[in-house]
Amino acid sequence: MHDPAALASTAVPLLEARNLHAHYGASHVLHGINFAIRAGETVALMGRNGMGKSTLIRTMLGLVRASTGQVLVKGQDMTHTAPHLIARSGIAYVPEGRGIFPNLTVRENLVMAARAGTRGQRDWTLDRVLTSFPRLAERLAHGGGQLSGGEQQMLTIGRALMTNPDLLILDEATEGLAPLISREIWRIVASIRASGIATVLIDKNFAALSTIADRVHILVKGSTVFEADTDQLRAQPHIRETFLGI
Amino acid sequence: MELATFLIQLLNSVQYGLLLFLISSGLTLVFGIMGIINVAHGSFYMLGAYLAWSLTQSFGNFWLALLLAVPITVLLALTLEWLVIRYLYTRDLLYQVLLTYGLILMFEEIRSILWGDDVRGVSIPAALDASIRLTDTLSYPVYRLAISGLCLLVAASMYGLIQKTRIGMTIRAGSVNREMVQSLGIDVTMLYRLVFALGVTLAALAGMIAAPVSSVFPGMGNQVLIVCFVVVVIGGMGSVKGALIASLLIGLVDTFGKVLHVEVAGVHLLPELASMSVYLLMAAILLWRPEGLFGKRG
Ligand SMILES: Nc1ncnc2c1ncn2[C@@H]1O[C@H](COP(=O)(O)OP(=O)(O)O)[C@@H](O)[C@H]1O
Ligand SMILES: [Mg+2]
């Protein structure tokens, strides 16, 4: 069994933000965030709408410019590095709103992303992805745009896995999906976690998150207000009420 | 019209259409994938023609000239993308048109300095300087058939590249969601540079192989640019398939518009009408489908 807590305390973080600030034009969205995730960990990034969760992710991935502060990938400063190089350091991203390529077939969506991981690992192949997502196997020749919302989400996750990442970031992966489909996504996320890939999860479903996440990181208006093991959050319902409204 | 004459005109129109496709496919590709309107696209056609002329002069061999001219064009295109074009990706249309119009002026000036303002000619390479006899009096030049053949080969390779290879998938993906492609670890900057180089090199290649059958002259790029925009608009902005169909259509309409003597109620319509036929076709198609034959509905 892997013990994320033991691993986490020693290892260099896979991805780390240090005193990170970000702006959209004149509006200051991230106010000095410190965030870290280590190999094998599952971290839930929580907060109400518009608190800066997606922006934090996108800034760490190089998609939004960091105003000040640092982004480190495996201890290396990659603050103003091109997004594709950050991705190539072993980080896969499933964005809010999915981001499948509607003009490519399901197969093409998967194949175009295929690559060995940072340690040369090729654990996730087309076959393995299709075994994990049987619905996609049935629709290989369909255009990405023809899929249902849930299938599109599976395609984005499958595509992210094709890059054989060390860290997978899921931004609102179950947003707008029917409960049955959401459950299937959570089951998949659990199996990805069990395979040893670290995950950052952003989701509205606290119950699902709290069963899977090792740690919780809560943002309010672009600042960290709470950061602890998931058990501690469960034990403090007032924090949930104050910061998450649940 | 006699059958042999008709056949010759048909072959001519296909050859012209395919050559147009070679030029306009690059224009539509650069627009569809990179979102750049490159009005200097025609200048590369001119550049190709002048390179073919000048290198054939220097080395006495058309094939050797082609072999040198293609890599020269690729290098120039890569440099140009890096120097100026890449700054246009985040700018709006006005900047793109202004800047690439500036490039036209520069290209014409450089052409004038390097090669002068005279009309030049390139002779047909000896190996292909033959004709196929159709009747006692009519024959068809082999070189024109070779042009059509090469264009078809390029069209097939482009189809293969875009539809069947991983690079092609990435190019298509990049045309809808650039950021997502980057997030998958793909260097979009490099991809765009390659697409730009591919697009303008095709235009230059068209200029090179057309040089022996049409004269090489200042401003030849702008003439062809206008027709290419008609092709791109008819075919649908960004659609390579649309460009192919539209090019062939224009080839037909232009060629037959010139040879058919349109007579309505005993009155010969002015020859000017013939030269307008291409634009009439465009107007008719746009009335029917404003987004072009294969364009995305806005
Ligand atoms: N592209 C953008 N341009 C301007 N403001 C933005 C943009 N994206 C997000 N914002 C603003 O930044 C803040 C944080 O947004 P976001 O990171 O998407 O929050 P969350 O993911 O937690 O819902 C919000 O106030 C939002 O309105
Ligand atoms: Mg968000």
Side-chain angles (χ1 to χ4, degrees), chain B residues 39-87:
Chain B
V39 300
H41 193 74
S43 300
F44 282 88
Y45 176 75
M46 176 185 76
L47 179 78
Y50 272 93
L51 274 177
W53 170 75
S54 134
L55 293 170
T56 307
Q57 291 292 104
S58 311
F59 296 100
N61 185 322
F62 178 71
W63 304 115
L64 185 61
L66 276 195
L67 213 63
L68 291 170
V70 170
I72 290 176
T73 318
V74 172
L75 277 181
L76 182 75
L78 293 173
T79 313
L80 205 63
E81 196 278 346
W82 175 75
L83 262 180
V84 284
I85 302 292
R86 67 184 169 128
Y87 296 104

Coordinates of all heavy atoms in Angstrom, one line a residue, chain B residues 39-87:
Chain B
V39 N -2.0 38.8 -46.7 CA -2.1 39.3 -48.0 C -0.8 39.3 -48.8 O -0.8 39.5 -50.0 CB -2.8 40.7 -48.0 CG1 -4.1 40.7 -47.4 CG2 -1.8 41.7 -47.4
A40 N 0.3 38.9 -48.1 CA 1.5 38.8 -48.8 C 1.7 37.4 -49.4 O 2.8 37.1 -49.9 CB 2.7 39.1 -47.9
H41 N 0.7 36.6 -49.3 CA 0.8 35.2 -49.8 C 1.1 35.2 -51.3 O 2.0 34.4 -51.7 CB -0.6 34.5 -49.6 CG -0.5 33.1 -49.8 ND1 0.0 32.2 -48.8 CD2 -1.0 32.2 -50.8 CE1 -0.1 31.0 -49.2 NE2 -0.7 31.0 -50.4
G42 N 0.5 36.1 -52.1 CA 0.8 36.1 -53.5 C 2.3 36.5 -53.8 O 2.9 36.1 -54.8
S43 N 2.9 37.2 -52.9 CA 4.3 37.6 -53.1 C 5.2 36.4 -53.1 O 6.3 36.4 -53.7 CB 4.8 38.5 -52.0 OG 4.0 39.7 -52.0
F44 N 4.8 35.3 -52.4 CA 5.6 34.1 -52.4 C 5.5 33.4 -53.7 O 6.4 32.7 -54.2 CB 5.2 33.2 -51.2 CG 5.8 33.7 -49.9 CD1 5.1 34.6 -49.1 CD2 7.0 33.2 -49.5 CE1 5.6 35.0 -48.0 CE2 7.5 33.6 -48.3 CZ 6.9 34.5 -47.5
Y45 N 4.3 33.6 -54.3 CA 4.1 33.0 -55.7 C 5.1 33.7 -56.6 O 5.8 33.1 -57.4 CB 2.7 33.2 -56.1 CG 2.4 32.8 -57.5 CD1 2.2 31.5 -57.9 CD2 2.2 33.8 -58.5 CE1 1.9 31.2 -59.2 CE2 1.9 33.5 -59.8 CZ 1.7 32.1 -60.2 OH 1.4 31.8 -61.4
M46 N 5.2 35.0 -56.5 CA 6.1 35.8 -57.3 C 7.5 35.4 -57.0 O 8.3 35.2 -57.9 CB 5.9 37.3 -57.1 CG 6.9 38.2 -57.8 SD 6.7 39.9 -57.4 CE 7.5 40.0 -55.8
L47 N 7.8 35.3 -55.8 CA 9.2 35.0 -55.3 C 9.6 33.7 -55.9 O 10.7 33.5 -56.4 CB 9.2 34.9 -53.8 CG 10.6 34.5 -53.2 CD1 11.5 35.7 -53.3 CD2 10.4 34.0 -51.8
G48 N 8.7 32.7 -55.9 CA 9.0 31.4 -56.4 C 9.3 31.5 -57.9 O 10.3 30.9 -58.4
A49 N 8.5 32.3 -58.6 CA 8.7 32.4 -60.1 C 10.1 33.0 -60.4 O 10.9 32.6 -61.2 CB 7.6 33.2 -60.7
Y50 N 10.4 34.1 -59.6 CA 11.7 34.8 -59.9 C 12.9 33.9 -59.4 O 13.9 34.0 -60.1 CB 11.7 36.2 -59.1 CG 11.1 37.3 -60.0 CD1 9.8 37.6 -59.9 CD2 11.9 37.9 -60.9 CE1 9.3 38.6 -60.7 CE2 11.4 38.9 -61.7 CZ 10.1 39.3 -61.6 OH 9.6 40.3 -62.4
L51 N 12.7 33.2 -58.4 CA 13.8 32.3 -57.9 C 14.0 31.3 -59.0 O 15.2 31.0 -59.4 CB 13.4 31.6 -56.6 CG 13.7 32.3 -55.3 CD1 13.2 31.5 -54.1 CD2 15.2 32.6 -55.2
A52 N 12.9 30.7 -59.6 CA 13.1 29.7 -60.6 C 13.8 30.3 -61.8 O 14.7 29.7 -62.4 CB 11.7 29.2 -61.1
W53 N 13.4 31.5 -62.2 CA 14.1 32.2 -63.3 C 15.5 32.4 -63.0 O 16.4 32.0 -63.8 CB 13.4 33.5 -63.6 CG 14.1 34.3 -64.6 CD1 14.2 34.1 -65.9 CD2 15.0 35.5 -64.3 NE1 15.0 35.0 -66.5 CE2 15.5 35.9 -65.5 CE3 15.3 36.2 -63.2 CZ2 16.4 36.9 -65.7 CZ3 16.2 37.2 -63.3 CH2 16.7 37.6 -64.5
S54 N 15.8 33.1 -61.9 CA 17.2 33.5 -61.6 C 18.1 32.3 -61.4 O 19.2 32.3 -61.9 CB 17.1 34.4 -60.4 OG 18.1 34.1 -59.5
L55 N 17.6 31.3 -60.7 CA 18.5 30.1 -60.5 C 18.7 29.3 -61.8 O 19.7 28.7 -62.0 CB 17.9 29.2 -59.3 CG 17.9 29.9 -58.0 CD1 17.1 29.1 -56.9 CD2 19.4 30.1 -57.5
T56 N 17.6 29.3 -62.6 CA 17.8 28.6 -63.9 C 18.8 29.3 -64.7 O 19.7 28.7 -65.4 CB 16.5 28.5 -64.6 OG1 15.5 27.9 -63.8 CG2 16.6 27.6 -65.9
Q57 N 18.8 30.7 -64.7 CA 19.8 31.5 -65.4 C 21.2 31.1 -64.9 O 22.1 30.9 -65.7 CB 19.6 33.0 -65.1 CG 18.4 33.6 -65.7 CD 18.5 33.6 -67.2 OE1 17.8 32.8 -67.9 NE2 19.3 34.5 -67.7
S58 N 21.4 31.0 -63.6 CA 22.7 30.8 -63.0 C 23.2 29.4 -63.2 O 24.4 29.2 -63.5 CB 22.7 31.1 -61.5 OG 22.0 32.3 -61.2
F59 N 22.3 28.4 -63.1 CA 22.8 27.0 -63.1 C 22.5 26.3 -64.4 O 22.9 25.2 -64.6 CB 22.3 26.2 -61.9 CG 22.8 26.8 -60.6 CD1 22.0 27.6 -59.9 CD2 24.0 26.5 -60.2 CE1 22.4 28.1 -58.6 CE2 24.5 27.0 -59.0 CZ 23.7 27.8 -58.2
G60 N 21.6 27.0 -65.2 CA 21.3 26.4 -66.5 C 20.5 25.1 -66.4 O 20.4 24.3 -67.4
N61 N 19.9 24.9 -65.3 CA 19.1 23.7 -65.1 C 17.9 24.0 -64.2 O 18.0 24.4 -63.1 CB 19.9 22.6 -64.5 CG 19.1 21.2 -64.4 OD1 17.9 21.2 -64.2 ND2 19.8 20.2 -64.7
F62 N 16.7 23.8 -64.8 CA 15.4 24.1 -64.1 C 15.2 23.3 -62.9 O 14.8 23.8 -61.8 CB 14.3 23.9 -65.1 CG 12.9 24.2 -64.5 CD1 12.5 25.5 -64.2 CD2 12.0 23.2 -64.2 CE1 11.3 25.8 -63.6 CE2 10.8 23.4 -63.6 CZ 10.4 24.7 -63.3
W63 N 15.6 22.0 -63.0 CA 15.3 21.1 -61.9 C 16.2 21.4 -60.7 O 15.8 21.4 -59.5 CB 15.6 19.6 -62.3 CG 14.7 19.3 -63.4 CD1 15.1 18.9 -64.7 CD2 13.3 19.2 -63.5 NE1 14.0 18.7 -65.5 CE2 12.9 18.9 -64.8 CE3 12.3 19.5 -62.5 CZ2 11.5 18.7 -65.2 CZ3 10.9 19.4 -62.9 CH2 10.6 19.0 -64.2
L64 N 17.5 21.7 -61.0 CA 18.4 22.1 -60.0 C 17.9 23.4 -59.3 O 18.0 23.6 -58.1 CB 19.8 22.4 -60.6 CG 20.9 22.7 -59.6 CD1 21.1 21.5 -58.6 CD2 22.2 23.0 -60.3
A65 N 17.4 24.3 -60.1 CA 16.8 25.6 -59.6 C 15.7 25.3 -58.6 O 15.6 25.9 -57.5 CB 16.3 26.4 -60.8
L66 N 14.8 24.4 -59.0 CA 13.7 24.0 -58.1 C 14.2 23.4 -56.8 O 13.8 23.8 -55.7 CB 12.8 22.9 -58.7 CG 11.7 23.2 -59.7 CD1 10.8 22.1 -59.9 CD2 10.9 24.4 -59.1
L67 N 15.2 22.6 -56.9 CA 15.8 21.9 -55.7 C 16.4 22.9 -54.8 O 16.4 22.7 -53.6 CB 16.9 20.9 -56.2 CG 17.1 19.7 -55.4 CD1 15.8 18.8 -55.5 CD2 18.3 18.9 -56.0
L68 N 16.9 24.0 -55.3 CA 17.5 25.0 -54.4 C 16.4 26.0 -53.9 O 16.5 26.5 -52.8 CB 18.6 25.8 -55.2 CG 19.8 25.0 -55.5 CD1 20.7 25.8 -56.5 CD2 20.6 24.7 -54.2
A69 N 15.5 26.3 -54.8 CA 14.5 27.3 -54.5 C 13.6 26.9 -53.4 O 13.2 27.7 -52.5 CB 13.7 27.7 -55.8
V70 N 13.2 25.6 -53.3 CA 12.3 25.2 -52.3 C 12.9 25.4 -50.9 O 12.3 26.0 -50.0 CB 11.8 23.7 -52.5 CG1 11.1 23.2 -51.3 CG2 10.9 23.7 -53.8
P71 N 14.1 24.9 -50.6 CA 14.6 25.1 -49.3 C 14.9 26.6 -49.0 O 14.7 27.0 -47.8 CB 16.0 24.3 -49.2 CG 16.2 23.9 -50.6 CD 14.9 23.9 -51.4
I72 N 15.2 27.4 -50.0 CA 15.4 28.8 -49.8 C 14.1 29.4 -49.3 O 14.0 30.2 -48.3 CB 15.9 29.5 -51.1 CG1 17.3 29.1 -51.4 CG2 15.7 31.1 -50.9 CD1 17.8 29.7 -52.7
T73 N 13.0 29.0 -49.9 CA 11.7 29.5 -49.5 C 11.3 29.1 -48.1 O 10.8 29.9 -47.3 CB 10.6 29.0 -50.5 OG1 11.1 29.1 -51.8 CG2 9.3 29.8 -50.4
V74 N 11.6 27.8 -47.8 CA 11.2 27.3 -46.5 C 12.0 28.2 -45.4 O 11.4 28.6 -44.4 CB 11.6 25.8 -46.3 CG1 11.4 25.4 -44.9 CG2 10.7 25.0 -47.3
L75 N 13.3 28.3 -45.6 CA 14.1 29.1 -44.7 C 13.5 30.5 -44.5 O 13.4 31.0 -43.4 CB 15.5 29.2 -45.1 CG 16.4 27.9 -44.8 CD1 17.8 28.1 -45.3 CD2 16.3 27.7 -43.3
L76 N 13.2 31.1 -45.7 CA 12.7 32.5 -45.6 C 11.4 32.6 -44.9 O 11.2 33.5 -44.0 CB 12.5 33.0 -47.1 CG 12.0 34.4 -47.1 CD1 13.1 35.4 -46.8 CD2 11.4 34.7 -48.5
A77 N 10.5 31.6 -45.1 CA 9.2 31.5 -44.4 C 9.4 31.4 -42.9 O 8.8 32.1 -42.1 CB 8.4 30.4 -45.0
L78 N 10.3 30.5 -42.5 CA 10.5 30.2 -41.1 C 11.0 31.5 -40.4 O 10.6 31.9 -39.3 CB 11.5 29.1 -40.9 CG 11.0 27.7 -41.3 CD1 12.1 26.7 -41.2 CD2 9.8 27.3 -40.5
T79 N 11.9 32.2 -41.1 CA 12.5 33.4 -40.6 C 11.4 34.5 -40.5 O 11.4 35.2 -39.4 CB 13.6 33.9 -41.5 OG1 14.5 32.8 -41.8 CG2 14.4 35.0 -40.8
L80 N 10.6 34.6 -41.5 CA 9.6 35.7 -41.5 C 8.6 35.4 -40.4 O 8.1 36.4 -39.8 CB 8.9 35.6 -42.9 CG 8.3 36.9 -43.3 CD1 9.3 38.0 -43.5 CD2 7.5 36.7 -44.6
E81 N 8.2 34.2 -40.2 CA 7.3 33.9 -39.2 C 7.8 34.3 -37.8 O 7.2 34.9 -37.0 CB 7.0 32.3 -39.2 CG 5.7 32.0 -38.4 CD 5.9 31.8 -36.9 OE1 7.1 31.8 -36.4 OE2 4.9 31.8 -36.2
W82 N 9.1 34.0 -37.6 CA 9.8 34.3 -36.4 C 10.0 35.8 -36.2 O 9.7 36.3 -35.1 CB 11.1 33.6 -36.3 CG 11.9 33.9 -35.1 CD1 11.7 33.4 -33.8 CD2 13.0 34.7 -35.0 NE1 12.6 33.9 -33.0 CE2 13.5 34.7 -33.7 CE3 13.8 35.5 -36.0 CZ2 14.6 35.5 -33.3 CZ3 14.9 36.2 -35.6 CH2 15.2 36.2 -34.2
L83 N 10.3 36.5 -37.3 CA 10.5 37.9 -37.2 C 9.3 38.7 -37.0 O 9.2 39.6 -36.2 CB 11.2 38.4 -38.5 CG 12.7 38.5 -38.5 CD1 13.2 39.0 -39.9 CD2 13.2 39.5 -37.5
V84 N 8.2 38.4 -37.8 CA 7.0 39.3 -37.8 C 5.7 38.6 -37.5 O 4.9 39.0 -36.7 CB 6.9 40.2 -39.0 CG1 7.9 41.3 -39.0 CG2 7.1 39.3 -40.3
I85 N 5.5 37.5 -38.3 CA 4.1 36.9 -38.3 C 3.7 36.5 -36.9 O 2.5 36.7 -36.5 CB 4.1 35.7 -39.2 CG1 4.4 36.1 -40.7 CG2 2.7 35.1 -39.2 CD1 3.5 37.0 -41.4
R86 N 4.6 36.0 -36.1 CA 4.1 35.5 -34.8 C 3.6 36.6 -33.9 O 2.9 36.3 -32.9 CB 5.3 34.7 -34.1 CG 6.4 35.6 -33.7 CD 7.6 34.8 -33.1 NE 8.8 35.5 -33.0 CZ 9.5 35.6 -31.8 NH1 9.1 34.9 -30.8 NH2 10.6 36.3 -31.8
Y87 N 3.9 37.8 -34.2 CA 3.4 38.9 -33.4 C 1.9 39.2 -33.7 O 1.3 40.0 -33.1 CB 4.2 40.1 -33.5 CG 5.6 39.9 -32.9 CD1 6.7 39.7 -33.8 CD2 5.8 39.8 -31.5 CE1 8.0 39.5 -33.2 CE2 7.0 39.5 -31.0 CZ 8.1 39.4 -31.9 OH 9.4 39.1 -31.4

